[in-house]
Amino acid sequence: MRILATADGLFYSEGVHTVGVDRIISEAKVTKATFYKYFRSKDSLIVAYLQGRDTRARDFVADVALRYDSPEQRLRGIVDEIADEVMRPGFHGCPFINAAAQFADPRHPVREAVAAHREWYGTTIEGLFRGMGHSHPGDAADDFFLARDGAYAGANLGDPIAAHAALQRAIQRVIAEIP
């Protein structure tokens, strides 16, 4: 759908609060009636944008599971992709963190979409650490997200090379804790 594809690009590159509905309508080359036929509000479009990003993340993790046999290989595959992602031109950080930063109310539908994504992702990463035999897989998953979120922020704020290297080092330390 053209509206969602247009919003995805604009929201990611410029921020969900910065981009207005009129601009999305104009750049998608649709009418207001068409926009409102599919989306009740800008907030519902933002939720759809985040759900689309969530689907991409789930598809990526499923693809990693097909490509690698062991939990450690899968985790390393995810980390390698994240490390590569922060180096790409046009990288603007984590779309979920970026959106959440613009909505303070944890009960807002945007924040709920972010929370649902983070819950799924956290459970997935914790499961990989559990499969690797980590004695504290929940703590390891927390460490993973702290490193990942830090790499996303660090790369977005200006030094993708340092963020790439720091993410790899941090995850290696967590993996090294496994007996």
Side-chain angles (χ1 to χ4, degrees), residues 14 18 23 30 49 51 57 63 65 69-70 72 75 93 103 107 112-113 115 118 121 127 141 148 159 161 165 169-170:
E14 298 180 26
T18 306
R23 181 160 173 218
V30 297
Y49 155 69
Q51 289 169 338
D63 181 59
D69 295 326
S70 73
E72 182 175 346
L75 180 71
F103 291 87
R107 293 177 310 272
E112 288 175 347
R118 301 260 314 172
Y121 204 179
R148 183 202 83 119
D159 195 346
I161 294 169
R169 285 192 312 269

Side-chain angles (χ1 to χ4, degrees), residues 8 13 23 27 33 41 45 47 61 65 67 70 74 80 87 91-92 95 113 122 140 142 165 173 179:
D8 183 272
S13 65
R23 181 160 173 218
E27 292 200 21
S41 64
L45 177 61
V47 169
V61 169
R67 286 188 284 142
S70 73
R74 290 173 181 159
D80 287 347
M87 301 290 291
F91 177 77
H92 294 285
D142 291 344
R173 286 184 195 116

Side-chain angles (χ1 to χ4, degrees), residues 41-159:
S41 64
K42 181 179 173 185
D43 285 355
S44 66
L45 177 61
I46 296 168
V47 169
Y49 155 69
L50 292 172
Q51 289 169 338
R53 290 287 177 142
D54 177 70
T55 297
R56 285 189 228 171
R58 290 173 190 253
D59 290 348
F60 164 71
V61 169
D63 181 59
V64 166
L66 293 174
R67 286 188 284 142
Y68 299 105
D69 295 326
S70 73
E72 182 175 346
Q73 290 172 328
R74 290 173 181 159
L75 180 71
R76 288 183 185 278
I78 291 168
V79 171
D80 287 347
E81 174 59 26
I82 293 166
D84 289 347
E85 181 182 12
V86 303
M87 301 290 291
R88 291 187 190 121
F91 177 77
H92 294 285
C94 174
F96 298 94
I97 294 171
N98 294 345
Q102 298 179 42
F103 291 87
D105 181 359
R107 293 177 310 272
H108 189 281
V110 169
R111 288 293 295 264
E112 288 175 347
V114 171
H117 170 76
R118 301 260 314 172
E119 176 66 27
W120 161 79
Y121 204 179
T123 299
T124 300
I125 297 300
E126 183 176 342
L128 291 174
F129 280 115
R130 183 173 287 107
M132 293 166 61
H134 199 289
S135 58
H136 301 287
D139 291 349
D142 291 344
D143 292 344
F144 168 91
F145 281 102
L146 185 63
R148 183 202 83 119
D149 294 351
Y152 276 170
N156 189 31
L157 294 173
D159 195 346

